[in-house]
Amino acid sequence: SRVPFVYRKAEDALAKATMRNRDTVCVKSRRNPSAALIAKARERGVDLEASSPHDLCAMHLATLLEAAVREHEATGTGMLISYDRDILSNVDAMVNVILPYLGLGEDIKANPQVARERVAAILSMRSDTSMLREPEDQGWTGETIEITDQVRVASQAHMGELMGRT
């Protein structure tokens, strides 16, 4: 099967993952850590119970990306997709690389102009617009992600080296 793994800049991913109402996965990883998280903590000499929420979440996110990178490098399967470089506003990457990888190449070849226009339209829309009635409120104008010092330090400490490889 064709499996994409979409990743973001370390600071952005960590900031979003530690936002209120979005931090449940990281909180659960403290109570029930994966074998990869336990190994990473042991390797770094980190006590998971005593680590800050930002450090814990950064290590958790790093284990997910490490697993995807390791699988991709070892087997050639999966596709590592940078949200910022390949998705955010990159119609070419979506139409020429990502969607064909996911099995939509023939559909795109059948009508490439319509495919490009549709992808461009989708990329220009916010994903959380179901409650917005006015079309002008649904357009994507980018996002502002607050990067705190805690996020910056934790992402660099636990994810920085890995992000340089992707």
Side-chain angles (χ1 to χ4, degrees):
S1 69
R2 300 177 183 275
V3 180
F5 184 90
V6 179
Y7 63 93
R8 296 186 77 150
K9 290 186 279 188
E11 291 177 346
D12 292 353
L14 183 58
K16 289 185 75 92
T18 54
M19 291 171 67
R20 184 181 304 295
N21 299 328
R22 296 186 99 175
D23 60 353
T24 55
V25 171
C26 291
V27 169
K28 287 179 182 178
S29 69
R30 182 186 309 272
R31 288 193 306 252
N32 190 17
S34 66
L37 182 56
I38 292 169
K40 179 170 272 309
R42 189 173 298 132
E43 166 191 312
R44 293 176 172 265
V46 173
D47 177 0
L48 290 176
E49 288 298 318
S51 62
S52 76
H54 290 88
D55 283 325
L56 176 73
C57 194
M59 285 190 293
H60 171 70
L61 292 173
T63 63
L64 298 176
L65 183 55
E66 285 169 351
V69 169
R70 192 171 43 254
E71 178 71 16
H72 178 73
E73 289 174 350
T75 66
T77 60
M79 177 181 271
L80 301 174
I81 302 170
S82 165
Y83 176 81
D84 298 289
R85 185 183 60 237
D86 301 326
I87 293 179
L88 195 55
S89 60
N90 193 341
V91 174
D92 287 336
M94 290 295 292
V95 172
N96 298 327
V97 180
I98 298 168
L99 293 176
Y101 172 79
L102 295 173
L104 298 171
E106 293 303 317
D107 295 329
I108 292 168
K109 285 179 189 174
N111 202 334
Q113 188 58 38
V114 170
R116 288 186 69 72
E117 289 169 4
R118 183 74 180 126
V119 167
I122 290 168
L123 291 177
S124 71
M125 299 299 288
R126 290 176 42 189
S127 62
D128 59 350
T129 61
S130 61
M131 301 301 290
L132 302 175
R133 299 198 188 285
E134 302 299 322
E136 61 270 9
D137 293 336
Q138 297 177 359
W140 176 252
T141 56
E143 66 183 330
T144 302
I145 302 172
E146 181 182 351
I147 308 297
T148 64
D149 287 341
Q150 291 173 306
V151 165
R152 190 171 286 108
V153 169
S155 64
Q156 184 57 44
H158 302 291
M159 302 163 73
E161 180 182 318
L162 182 60
M163 295 305 291
R165 290 178 37 205
T166 56

